[in-house]
């Protein structure tokens, strides 16, 4: 897989989907979302303040302020990481790693980038690394199934005393996870970021480098496939 | 412009769902068609219900696992790891141009059309009730499963365990495409971005 050194593997003989350009028009969303003029997000402002603290060598204060960013983003980050990894311990570590990376590299942060986009890209790169590492480590690993520890946690969290309902809930989880697992890599990433990460197609475009219409095409295909797999009307 | 006689394609309905979820207004011709066409309204309601159910189910699992206590522990673990960092990383030149937007929370600023549409169509986003997609039919088979063998319950077969090789290959393809995408002129700035997106191992060595 040759992925030890960089996020991006050796270029393969793969072409970017030629259909991408024929995506349906993005319904004017772009026109209504004038990215450049939008104000800095709260997270971006905090990140800039922390960067200044680091530059002045005020590391204790920087670390303290960084806690705000963690608090602001950790739930969303954990949702995204869990969807990728289906193991909360692994997802927890991936989220921690992403925050540590971000702190380490804050001196490079520039306000031209929304903090959320920067952070999320670092997070998903880490998650993809972990998926690959896990597959190499454990060839029996089947993506999509929650770990047994998580199953136990979810069962404990389920207040329903009715075993039938608990079983149904577990089945729903398994089916949904397996369906998402059956999306191809691009579809899964785009769907996860849009759907569980609350990202707009434009933000996903910035995170992945795919153009926005390609993001939308992957999203449509993901939705269609999931509806087919899960019994919604295709 | 969408002709009044042509129904909205499913892809367009997905687009509508996304647009409304992020709190934006639909394009007027699309909104008009949805107002006038019971068939598209019903299809939209079904699609939105499906998408919301999928989202709510996934989020519910993640939230059940990442309890407030666990998130607190996560913050503490991060704080501990940051203590080990005594000096900031080197500064790398950073791309100049990109979108800037406050990432919104999952809740829309506007009442989504599908909320009214689902009500009108007699549908309900029945996540809590477990009334998502074809669960009703499924319940019967589960009852039989329960009666037959409760121990099998821990390993209910998912849709298909196609295995990691397929999806992993797909990830590789995806990443390769990303790389190709990065070489396109308009995304060149992302290369600098990735230059300082280091991997897990070196970071762990640095911070632990
Ligand atoms: Zn219609």
């Amino acid at each position: 897989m040759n992925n030890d050194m960089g996020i991006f593997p050796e270029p393969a003989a793969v072409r970017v989907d030629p259909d991408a350009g024929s995506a349906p028009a993005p319904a004017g969303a772009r026109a209504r979302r004038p990215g450049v003029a939008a104000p800095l997000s709260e997270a971006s402002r905090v990140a800039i303040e922390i960067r200044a603290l680091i530059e002045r060598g005020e590391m204790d204060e920087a670390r303290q302020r960084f806690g705000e960013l963690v608090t602001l983003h950790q739930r969303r980050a954990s949702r995204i990481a869990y969807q990728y990894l289906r193991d909360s311990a692994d997802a927890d570590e991936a989220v921690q790693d992403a925050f540590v990376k971000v702190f380490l590299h804050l001196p490079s942060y520039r306000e031209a980038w929304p903090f959320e986009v920067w952070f999320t890209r670092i997070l998903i790169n880490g998650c993809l690394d972990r998926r690959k590492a896990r597959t190499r480590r454990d060839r029996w690993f089947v993506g999509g199934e929650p770990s047994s520890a998580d199953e136990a946690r979810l069962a404990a969290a389920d207040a329903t005393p009715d075993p039938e309902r608990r079983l149904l809930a577990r089945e729903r989880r398994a089916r949904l996870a397996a369906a998402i697992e059956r999306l191809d890599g691009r579809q899964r990433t785009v769907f996860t970021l849009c759907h569980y990460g609350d990202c707009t197609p434009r933000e996903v475009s910035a995170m992945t480098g795919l153009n926005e219409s390609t993001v939308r095409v992957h999203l449509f295909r993901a939705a269609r496939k999931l509806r087919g797999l899960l019994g919604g009307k295709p | 412009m969408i002709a009044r006689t042509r129904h909205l394609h499913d892809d367009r309905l997905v687009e509508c769902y996304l647009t409304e979820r992020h709190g934006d207004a639909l394009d007027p011709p699309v909104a008009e068609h949805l107002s006038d066409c019971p068939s598209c309204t019903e299809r939209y309601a079904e699609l939105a219900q499906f998408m919301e159910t999928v989202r709510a189910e996934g989020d519910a699992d993640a939230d059940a696992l990442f309890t407030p206590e666990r998130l607190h522990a996560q913050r503490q673990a991060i704080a501990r790891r940051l203590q080990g960092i005594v000096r900031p990383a080197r500064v790398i030149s950073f791309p100049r141009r990109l979108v800037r937007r406050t990432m919104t929370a999952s809740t829309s600023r506007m009442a989504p059309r599908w909320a009214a549409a689902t009500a009108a169509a007699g549908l309900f986003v029945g996540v809590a009730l477990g009334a998502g997609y074809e669960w009703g039919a499924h319940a019967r088979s589960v009852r039989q499963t329960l009666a037959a063998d409760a121990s099998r319950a821990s390993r209910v077969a998912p849709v298909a365990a196609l295995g990691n090789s397929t999806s992993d290959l797909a990830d590789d393809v995806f990443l390769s495409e990303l790389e190709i995408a990065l070489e396109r002129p308009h995304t060149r700035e992302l290369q600098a971005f990735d230059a300082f997106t280091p991997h897990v191992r070196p970071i762990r060595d640095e911070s632990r």
Side-chain angles (χ1 to χ4, degrees), chain B residues 33-131:
Chain B
H33 185 95
L34 279 175
S35 303
D36 294 349
C37 176
S39 158
C40 285
T41 302
E42 190 182 335
R43 281 170 53 235
Y44 184 41
E46 280 174 0
L47 177 127
Q49 181 199 27
F50 174 82
M51 298 293 273
E52 282 297 288
T53 304
V54 166
R55 191 161 77 95
E57 294 273 348
D59 283 351
D61 278 358
D63 292 350
L65 292 167
F66 287 92
T67 58
E69 296 75 30
R70 200 156 181 207
L71 291 174
H72 177 76
Q74 186 183 70
R75 285 196 295 277
Q76 303 235 307
I78 292 166
R80 273 196 304 277
R81 290 176 63 180
L82 295 187
Q83 283 299 327
I85 298 169
V86 288
R87 63 179 181 80
R90 71 205 161 96
V91 177
I92 303 167
S93 66
F94 205 88
R96 275 249 162 256
R97 171 185 69 83
L98 204 78
V99 292
R100 178 185 299 164
R101 187 181 81 86
T102 305
M103 199 167 283
T104 52
S106 58
T107 48
S108 302
R109 288 182 294 275
M110 301 169 60
R113 181 173 295 265
W114 77 71
T118 46
L123 298 165
F124 211 84
V125 181
V127 177
L129 303 172

Side-chain angles (χ1 to χ4, degrees), chain A residues 9 14 32 35 74 79 88 97 104 108 113 121 129 132 135 141 171 173 186 198 203 208 216, chain B residues 15 21 25 61 63 70 75 81 89 94 100-101 138 164 172 174 178-180 193-194 199 204:
Chain A
V14 178
R32 274 192 296 276
Q74 67 177 155
R79 284 175 172 180
S88 66
D97 286 341
L104 269 170
S108 302
W113 289 76
R121 184 168 168 101
D129 275 355
K132 286 177 189 304
T135 312
F141 161 69
E171 270 215 47
R173 279 199 293 275
R186 291 155 298 175
D198 286 321
E203 285 160 346
T208 58
R216 289 173 190 276
Chain B
E15 183 77 44
R21 235 197 76 200
D61 278 358
D63 292 350
R70 200 156 181 207
R75 285 196 295 277
R81 290 176 63 180
F94 205 88
R100 178 185 299 164
R101 187 181 81 86
H138 219 63
N164 37 308
D172 277 352
F174 172 60
L178 274 189
E179 184 159 9
I180 292 165
F193 184 89
D194 282 301
H199 282 245
R204 222 180 252 153

Side-chain angles (χ1 to χ4, degrees), chain A:
Chain A
M1 221 155 311
N2 192 22
N3 195 35
D4 284 336
M5 290 306 294
I7 297 295
F8 303 106
E10 292 296 311
V14 178
R15 289 193 318 117
V16 175
D17 190 348
D19 293 335
S22 61
R30 211 180 327 202
R32 274 192 296 276
R33 211 177 271 288
V36 194
L40 274 185
S41 71
E42 168 74 10
S44 298
R45 270 193 290 112
V46 174
I48 291 162
E49 286 168 27
I50 299 169
R51 184 187 65 194
L53 290 166
I54 291 173
E55 280 163 2
R56 294 200 296 272
E58 298 172 28
M59 295 301 285
D60 284 345
E61 177 71 9
R63 278 189 280 261
Q64 206 175 339
R65 291 300 311 276
F66 192 73
E68 291 174 32
L69 283 182
V70 175
T71 305
L72 214 55
H73 287 282
Q74 67 177 155
R75 179 176 294 278
R76 193 179 69 88
S78 300
R79 284 175 172 180
I80 294 173
Y82 180 69
Q83 290 303 328
Y84 265 105
L85 299 167
R86 286 279 145 194
D87 179 298
S88 66
D90 218 12
D92 191 4
E93 277 193 41
V95 171
Q96 289 183 34
D97 286 341
F99 278 116
V100 172
K101 283 175 203 177
V102 160
F103 185 82
L104 269 170
H105 294 274
L106 260 175
S108 302
Y109 178 69
R110 292 295 174 268
E111 42 273 59
W113 289 76
F115 176 83
E116 294 85 349
V117 169
W118 188 49
F119 170 75
T120 307
R121 184 168 168 101
I122 288 169
L123 176 69
I124 58 173
N125 275 338
C127 288
L128 288 171
D129 275 355
R130 281 174 177 273
R131 277 182 70 101
K132 286 177 189 304
R134 186 158 63 179
T135 312
R136 277 197 298 267
R137 203 169 54 230
D138 177 8
R139 67 197 189 92
W140 302 112
F141 161 69
V142 178
E145 283 186 41
S147 69
S148 50
D150 283 344
E151 275 296 3
R153 283 192 188 100
L154 288 167
D158 189 344
T160 315
D162 181 356
E164 188 175 305
R165 283 188 62 175
R166 274 209 302 276
L167 178 57
L168 274 172
R170 186 157 53 196
E171 270 215 47
R172 277 205 304 275
R173 279 199 293 275
R175 294 185 72 231
L176 175 57
I180 289 173
E181 195 64 23
R182 284 186 65 180
L183 300 176
D184 82 27
R186 291 155 298 175
Q187 290 171 358
R188 189 172 350 102
T189 285
V190 166
F191 184 81
T192 298
L193 290 173
C194 280
H195 219 55
Y196 298 111
D198 286 321
C199 303
T200 63
R202 187 171 200 192
E203 285 160 346
V204 175
S205 163
M207 288 165 191
T208 58
L210 298 170
N211 67 44
E212 201 177 327
S213 59
T214 307
V215 167
R216 289 173 190 276
V217 167
H218 289 317
L219 198 58
F220 300 148
R221 288 180 184 164
R224 196 185 310 150
K225 187 163 182 181
L226 285 178
R227 291 181 88 192
L229 289 169
L230 293 169
K233 288 183 183 168

Side-chain angles (χ1 to χ4, degrees), chain B residues 183-197:
Chain B
E183 283 162 7
R184 289 202 299 267
H186 75 284
T187 52
R188 193 167 292 278
E189 62 265 38
L190 286 171
Q191 290 171 352
F193 184 89
D194 282 301
F196 65 97
T197 305

